[in-house]
Amino acid sequence: MFSITVRDHVMVAHSFHGEVFGPAQRLHGATFLVDATFSRAELDDDNIVVDIGLATEQLKDVLGPLNYRNLDDEPDFKGINTSTEFLAKVIADRLVDRIGEGKLGDGARGLSEITVTLHESHVAWASYRRQL
């Protein structure tokens, strides 16, 4: 399996519901380092997994509407605990939508998997991986 990873970051505010979250139930900020890994079994006709420039651009575009936002105020997340794991899935799904729209180039249609990892600190991170 071949893969490439592109990286960006996003800064959000949010709060959680539920005793399990302790002090994070209060409004707080988070800066996530975001890695998007694109994978395929065989390279495309250009001997690449996907165009790194387009992948970088699309990750930035997906993160834009989340950046500097209080996720508690966003209609898409009303009443949802926007955990690191949940946000990894949201970002992955939005990237997959863009693959389907052709925004990562025709070669991206041959991708077999995407993994999005959100690093919430130097010691903790969460990932979501899905087949395409």
Side-chain angles (χ1 to χ4, degrees), residues 22-39:
Q25 292 177 82
R26 293 187 299 275
L27 184 64
H28 62 280
T31 299
F32 296 107
L33 185 65
V34 182
D35 291 331
T37 301
F38 301 86
S39 303

Side-chain angles (χ1 to χ4, degrees), residues 50-81:
V50 69
D51 182 309
I52 290 175
L54 289 176
T56 301
E57 177 183 296
Q58 292 305 309
L59 177 60
K60 184 175 197 62
D61 286 351
V62 163
L63 296 177
L66 303 174
N67 206 18
Y68 294 103
R69 298 290 198 286
N70 179 350
L71 301 181
D72 297 347
D73 295 338
E74 295 298 311
D76 287 350
F77 304 129
K78 186 78 171 161
I80 296 173
N81 281 329

Side-chain angles (χ1 to χ4, degrees), residues 1-126:
M1 187 72 69
F2 295 94
S3 66
I4 64 107
T5 301
V6 296
R7 177 174 277 181
D8 205 333
H9 73 282
V10 65
M11 293 187 270
V12 302
H14 60 171
S15 61
F16 296 124
H17 307 284
E19 296 279 329
V20 69
F21 296 104
Q25 292 177 82
R26 293 187 299 275
L27 184 64
H28 62 280
T31 299
F32 296 107
L33 185 65
V34 182
D35 291 331
T37 301
F38 301 86
S39 303
R40 63 190 306 147
E42 300 296 330
L43 299 176
D44 71 7
D45 292 341
D46 295 310
N47 275 341
I48 61 174
V49 173
V50 69
D51 182 309
I52 290 175
L54 289 176
T56 301
E57 177 183 296
Q58 292 305 309
L59 177 60
K60 184 175 197 62
D61 286 351
V62 163
L63 296 177
L66 303 174
N67 206 18
Y68 294 103
R69 298 290 198 286
N70 179 350
L71 301 181
D72 297 347
D73 295 338
E74 295 298 311
D76 287 350
F77 304 129
K78 186 78 171 161
I80 296 173
N81 281 329
T82 52
S83 65
T84 306
E85 300 91 331
F86 175 82
L87 290 173
K89 181 181 185 314
V90 167
I91 293 164
D93 289 345
R94 290 178 180 181
L95 284 169
V96 169
D97 289 346
R98 287 167 180 256
I99 291 167
E101 295 165 1
K103 292 183 178 178
L104 278 91
D106 288 337
R109 297 189 198 285
L111 292 168
S112 58
E113 185 176 279
I114 185 172
T115 303
V116 171
T117 302
L118 272 65
H119 303 262
E120 60 178 79
S121 76
H122 65 289
V123 297
W125 54 89

